[in-house]
């Protein structure tokens, strides 16, 4: 597990500084965030914006998916995920900004871009009165080349080989989703986009599809996976972005997406004395009570010191256990809700959400989620993308 | 071309394709039955030509059927085809599936239109063949008496009848194109078909009143029986030329309008 210490306020890593500069420049021509190190960016959006009347569905969204990523595109319902995906496919036209697939801009060079792109938006749709094989043959040969061998291959990949000759109309929802993935893979595109592929599936179906996406990632397929389930993204993706109201809330490697809570619960023979000791060590803000337990935000290295001091002070330490981790869904809810609250106040909020950790910590509105004292720095993106 | 082949394969897989064709084929069957049952009688005033004498010549079955098609059935069937091409795919979501493929929107649009035209054309051809077979079996094959009272040989008559069928299909393509244009505006194929049929019906009614005569040269419905002029001696070409120009302009304008809408359309369903 990586070290999640936030960078000091004065030295945000270069990547972050770059992003900030780019944001202040703004506009549709801003370069893709350099998140990929030496891997090429295969899919990116640049100041992508879509308005429906007064509603701003997607608001200056900048994304970068690197080759080999299984990239999570996370947000609550109505956050603008599907609208973004539609713009990437060129199904709808951005109000401003553009998407870029393998160097081709959408909407400008839509056809060229789509040669490098596969996938589906919302629910994959096929002709119900034809077999899966025939559907793939039909759709795959539009602007591409779908050999029987390749069709067999992708049907095998998604586990539909034995049902390939039955009518799609008789397929279960899960099978249709898997056929959608097969169709996405058919012409071996550089990147596939899957729009909530597990939505509406039963637990087994969800598990199957996630397993499939994970397998795809293992063999090097670049996947852009949208979801409103944080744990799903965490299970299958390596990098992710969380959006809300069409704007980026946080972005970066998934390994660091989960909020790490280094708090411990302490039970001693003399809780009051332990409280004094802990407060002396970590300050009043670092110590709280929870059902008789003392909750101490000691950090990884603070715990041994705390125990040493307690023992030195003659307090009998009975238990030191990790505080229950903040639930991921709560974390997600907190993130998106606080950006909702900011949304009302206007433009700077989305920007602020992407500022480096120090600036974030200074923002009082972010110091807690759901009333639980949370170290602001942990929620902030660590800027090591 | 690949796209058109795909469209064809898709169309031939749909039940409604055959339902439309069966409906068309019923017409010659009815005409032959009626011809067999009725006694030859003089043409009633206001009645289209050929129909009264249908039992005298198998070729007249083809022409009587064509009159019925031109007045009503083919525009409707064609409108259905034109309406279903974009809107019904939007209804099922498969339009999105197509447009996430590396094909230009222009190609998708034009192929769908071409497929609808092909469908109407195939329907007309089917009717022609069935009419010919049924007519010849029932009433024999005889030289055709023209509207001018002269007689023309079977071969020449068949060629002209073929031409007449094409002309009627071209007229139906106008209805088809209206439906097609509207199907780019709406996601409901039923709406598109209904509007196209309503337009055709309203135009036909307008054509029936002499007060609206000033409109006649511009409405495509005016020319639905223009093909009858092929069966005069000598052939009277001016109305046929006018019909072709009118059909061409109407169709081109509607296609341009469809492209103007579709090329900038946000595909949401």
């Amino acid at each position: 597990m990586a070290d999640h210490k936030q960078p000091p306020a004065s030295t945000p890593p270069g990547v972050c500084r770059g992003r900030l500069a780019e944001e202040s420049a703004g506009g549709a021509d801003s370069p893709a965030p350099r998140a990929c190190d030496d891997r090429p960016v295969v899919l990116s959006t640049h100041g992508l914006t879509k308005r429906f009347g007064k509603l701003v569905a997607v608001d200056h969204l900048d994304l970068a998916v690197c080759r080999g990523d299984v990239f999570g595109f996370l947000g609550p319902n109505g956050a603008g995920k599907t609208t973004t995906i539609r713009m990437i496919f060129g199904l709808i036209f951005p109000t401003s900004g553009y998407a870029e697939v393998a160097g081709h801009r959408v909407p400008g060079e839509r056809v060229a871009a789509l040669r490098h792109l596969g996938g589906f938006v919302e629910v994959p749709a096929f002709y119900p009165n034809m077999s899966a094989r025939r559907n793939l043959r039909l759709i795959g040969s539009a602007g591409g080349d779908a050999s029987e061998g390749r069709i067999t291959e992708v049907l095998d990949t998604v586990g539909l080989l034995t049902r390939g000759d039955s009518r799609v109309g008789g397929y279960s929802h899960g099978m249709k989703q898997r056929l959608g993935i097969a169709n996405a893979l058919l012409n071996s595109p550089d990147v596939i986009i899957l729009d909530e592929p597990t939505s509406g599936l039963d637990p087994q179906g969800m598990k199957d599809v996630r397993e499939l996406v994970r397998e795809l990632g293992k063999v090097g397929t670049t996947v852009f996976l949208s979801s409103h389930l944080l744990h799903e993204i965490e299970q299958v993706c390596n990098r992710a972005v969380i959006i809300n109201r069409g704007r980026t809330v946080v972005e970066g490697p998934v390994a660091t997406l989960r909020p790490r809570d280094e708090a411990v619960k302490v039970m001693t023979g003399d809780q009051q004395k332990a409280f004094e000791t802990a407060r002396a060590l970590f300050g009043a803000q670092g110590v709280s009570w929870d059902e008789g337990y003392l909750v101490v935000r000691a950090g990884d290295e603070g715990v041994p010191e705390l125990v040493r001091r307690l023992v030195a002070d003659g307090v009998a330490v009975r238990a030191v256990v990790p505080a229950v981790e903040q639930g991921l869904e709560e974390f997600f809810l907190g993130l998106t809700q606080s950006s909702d609250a900011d949304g009302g106040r206007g433009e700077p909020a989305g920007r602020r959400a992407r500022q480096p950790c120090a600036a974030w910590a200074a923002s009082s509105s972010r110091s807690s989620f759901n009333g639980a004292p949370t170290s602001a720095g942990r929620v902030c993106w660590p800027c090591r993308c | 071309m690949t796209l058109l082949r795909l469209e064809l394969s898709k169309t031939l897989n749909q039940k409604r394709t055959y339902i439309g064709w069966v409906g068309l084929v019923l017409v010659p069957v009815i005409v032959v039955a009626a011809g067999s049952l009725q006694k030859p009688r003089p043409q009633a005033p206001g009645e289209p030509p050929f129909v009264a004498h249908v039992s005298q010549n198998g070729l007249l079955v083809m022409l009587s059927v064509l009159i019925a098609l031109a007045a009503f059935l083919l525009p409707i069937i064609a409108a259905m085809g034109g309406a279903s091409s974009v809107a019904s795919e939007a209804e099922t979501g498969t339009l999105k599936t197509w447009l996430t493929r590396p094909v230009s929107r222009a190609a998708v649009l034009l192929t769908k239109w071409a497929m609808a035209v092909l469908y109407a054309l195939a329907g007309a051809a089917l009717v022609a063949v069935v009419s010919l077979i049924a007519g010849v079996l029932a009433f024999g094959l005889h030289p055709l008496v023209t509207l001018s009272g002269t007689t023309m040989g079977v071969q020449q008559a068949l060629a002209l009848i073929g031409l007449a069928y094409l002309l009627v299909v071209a007229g139906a393509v106008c209805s088809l194109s209206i439906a097609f244009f509207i199907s780019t505006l709406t996601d409901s194929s039923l709406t598109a078909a209904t509007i196209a049929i309503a337009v055709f019906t309203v135009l036909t009614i307008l054509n029936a009143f002499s007060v609206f005569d000033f409109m006649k040269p511009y409405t495509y419905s005016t020319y639905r029986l223009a093909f009858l002029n092929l069966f005069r001696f000598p052939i009277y070409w001016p109305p046929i030329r006018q019909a072709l120009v009118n059909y061409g302009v109407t169709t081109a304008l509607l296609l341009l309008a469809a492209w103007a809408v579709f090329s900038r359309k946000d595909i949401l369903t």
Side-chain angles (χ1 to χ4, degrees):
Chain A
M1 193 74 177
D3 183 349
H4 298 293
K5 284 264 165 54
Q6 47 182 285
S10 53
T11 56
V15 171
C16 276
R17 201 183 287 130
R19 284 184 64 82
L20 278 178
E22 154 212 322
E23 275 157 14
S24 57
D29 286 323
S30 52
R34 298 170 52 139
C36 301
D37 301 323
D38 51 347
R39 290 178 297 158
V41 176
V42 286
L43 170 66
S44 54
T45 68
H46 306 257
L48 198 64
T49 303
K50 180 67 181 182
R51 287 172 201 275
F52 294 106
K54 274 190 171 175
L55 175 82
V56 186
V58 177
D59 192 1
H60 295 93
L61 196 64
D62 296 311
L63 299 174
V65 180
C66 320
R67 184 175 299 283
D69 270 349
V70 177
F71 189 91
F73 190 44
L74 196 57
N77 292 326
K81 300 189 298 293
T82 296
T83 303
T84 303
I85 292 174
R86 283 185 177 133
M87 284 192 279
I88 296 172
F89 273 118
L91 288 169
I92 66 175
F93 293 86
T95 310
S96 65
Y98 61 93
E100 198 173 311
V101 184
H104 302 284
R105 287 191 181 190
V106 181
E109 304 159 279
R110 180 183 148 271
V111 174
L114 288 183
R115 284 190 213 289
H116 303 273
L117 193 60
F120 56 81
V121 186
E122 293 180 309
V123 188
F126 297 98
Y127 296 103
N129 49 359
M130 297 184 197
S131 70
R133 196 174 272 281
R134 181 143 191 200
N135 263 291
L136 291 182
R137 201 179 297 142
L138 193 69
I139 296 160
S141 48
D145 181 28
S147 68
E148 289 304 307
R150 180 62 186 160
I151 291 173
T152 305
E153 208 173 298
V154 292
L155 282 175
D156 192 25
T157 305
V158 301
L160 284 177
L161 198 51
T162 53
R163 295 294 305 274
D165 292 313
S166 13
R167 284 172 69 247
V168 174
Y171 272 27
S172 71
H173 183 54
M175 291 166 76
K176 279 182 194 159
Q177 297 290 71
R178 280 187 279 153
L179 183 57
I181 297 175
N183 182 45
L185 293 168
L186 193 56
N187 294 132
S188 315
D190 290 333
V191 52
I192 66 170
I193 295 183
L194 307 177
D195 189 8
E196 304 207 352
T198 61
S199 83
L201 298 186
D202 60 20
Q204 184 60 43
M206 284 180 146
K207 193 166 164 282
D208 289 349
V209 168
R210 282 178 197 152
E211 194 62 43
L212 179 57
V213 174
R214 237 196 319 260
E215 291 298 319
L216 292 176
K218 270 187 202 156
V219 297
T221 313
T222 310
V223 184
F224 184 86
L225 176 76
S226 104
S227 175
H228 60 269
L229 302 173
L230 184 55
H231 65 95
E232 176 169 292
I233 294 292
E234 205 187 34
Q235 277 176 32
V236 299
C237 298
N238 67 318
R239 291 203 315 127
V241 59
I242 298 181
I243 70 161
N244 191 34
R245 298 187 159 224
R247 293 188 288 219
T248 302
V249 181
V250 290
E251 179 184 4
V254 152
T256 52
L257 198 61
R258 176 186 275 269
R260 289 234 320 177
D261 203 338
E262 292 112 340
V264 288
K265 291 206 288 190
V266 181
M267 180 56 80
T268 61
D270 186 347
Q271 288 291 74
Q272 196 53 48
K273 198 169 176 188
F275 176 77
E276 299 298 330
T277 307
R279 199 172 59 172
L281 265 176
F282 304 105
Q285 289 209 323
V287 190
S288 56
W289 292 96
D290 179 23
E291 292 177 355
Y293 278 95
L294 207 55
V295 179
V296 186
R297 305 193 167 277
D300 283 343
E301 283 141 39
V303 177
E305 179 61 20
L306 174 67
V307 175
R308 228 180 344 262
R309 285 293 268 282
L310 288 173
V311 172
D313 288 354
V315 179
V317 179
R318 295 201 175 130
V320 179
V321 294
V324 176
E325 279 198 42
Q326 189 187 13
L328 284 174
E329 304 305 333
E330 282 161 36
F331 160 73
F332 184 36
L333 213 59
L335 269 185
T336 53
Q337 275 172 355
S338 60
S339 77
D340 273 352
D342 289 339
R345 276 190 261 130
E347 213 29 35
R351 305 276 188 255
R352 191 152 22 103
R354 279 180 272 175
Q355 279 171 10
C357 306
W360 187 308
S363 148
S364 61
S365 71
R366 258 170 241 282
S367 59
S368 74
F369 290 120
N370 303 330
T374 308
S375 152
R378 285 189 203 108
V379 177
C380 162
W381 199 252
C383 311
R384 287 184 288 100
C385 12
Chain B
M1 263 299 111
T2 319
L3 273 184
L4 193 60
R5 224 180 49 233
L6 300 179
E7 281 290 329
L8 196 65
S9 146
K10 196 196 77 198
T11 307
L12 292 177
N13 244 281
Q14 286 168 337
K15 262 198 206 110
R16 63 162 172 259
T17 304
Y18 301 98
I19 293 173
W21 282 341
V22 166
L24 284 173
V25 167
L26 279 178
V27 178
V29 173
I30 292 168
V31 168
V32 167
S36 315
L37 294 173
Q38 79 183 6
K39 290 201 172 79
R41 55 175 173 79
Q43 182 181 339
E47 191 189 18
F50 302 125
V51 178
H53 312 288
V54 70
S55 60
Q56 292 170 9
N57 188 347
L59 290 177
L60 293 183
V61 172
M62 290 186 88
L63 283 169
S64 303
V65 166
L66 188 58
I67 289 167
L69 284 191
F72 194 60
L73 199 53
L74 200 58
I76 289 179
I77 301 265
M80 293 292 198
S84 74
S85 43
V86 177
S88 81
E89 296 239 18
E91 278 166 3
T92 57
T94 41
L95 185 63
K96 252 178 357 193
T97 306
W98 283 109
L99 290 177
T100 51
R101 303 287 315 164
V103 286
S104 73
R105 284 193 180 195
V108 169
L109 192 72
L110 211 59
T111 322
K112 292 202 174 296
W113 179 82
M115 187 56 233
V117 172
L118 220 57
Y119 175 66
L121 200 62
L126 191 68
V127 170
V129 169
V130 172
S131 302
L132 181 62
I133 294 171
V136 169
L137 286 180
F139 310 123
L141 198 57
H142 311 289
L144 185 72
V145 179
T146 65
L147 296 174
S148 314
T150 56
T151 306
M152 69 169 80
V154 169
Q155 264 189 343
Q156 194 194 352
L158 277 175
L160 284 179
I161 290 172
L163 213 57
Y165 268 81
L166 286 178
L167 200 62
V168 168
V169 169
V173 167
C174 294
S175 284
L176 179 153
S177 301
I178 291 177
F180 187 73
F181 164 58
I182 294 164
S183 82
T184 60
L185 290 172
T186 168
D187 290 335
S188 154
S189 60
L190 199 59
T191 309
T194 308
I195 292 178
I197 292 164
V199 167
F200 180 74
T201 312
V202 168
L203 288 180
T204 308
I205 293 168
L206 284 177
N207 291 156
F209 291 98
S210 53
V211 256
F212 300 113
D213 273 359
F214 65 95
M215 292 171 63
K216 271 194 166 177
Y218 310 108
T219 55
Y220 70 92
S221 54
T222 310
Y223 304 98
R224 64 187 188 283
L225 293 181
F227 71 87
L228 288 175
N229 293 294
L230 288 169
F231 302 97
R232 297 185 195 284
F233 187 81
I235 295 171
Y236 186 55
W237 288 107
I240 292 164
R241 262 198 301 273
Q242 282 169 22
L244 285 174
V245 169
N246 184 291
Y247 293 165
V249 171
T250 305
T251 303
L253 287 179
L254 286 165
L255 272 183
L256 278 177
W259 169 242
V261 172
F262 193 65
S263 63
R264 296 296 308 161
K265 193 185 183 190
D266 279 351
I267 307 294
L268 293 168
T269 51

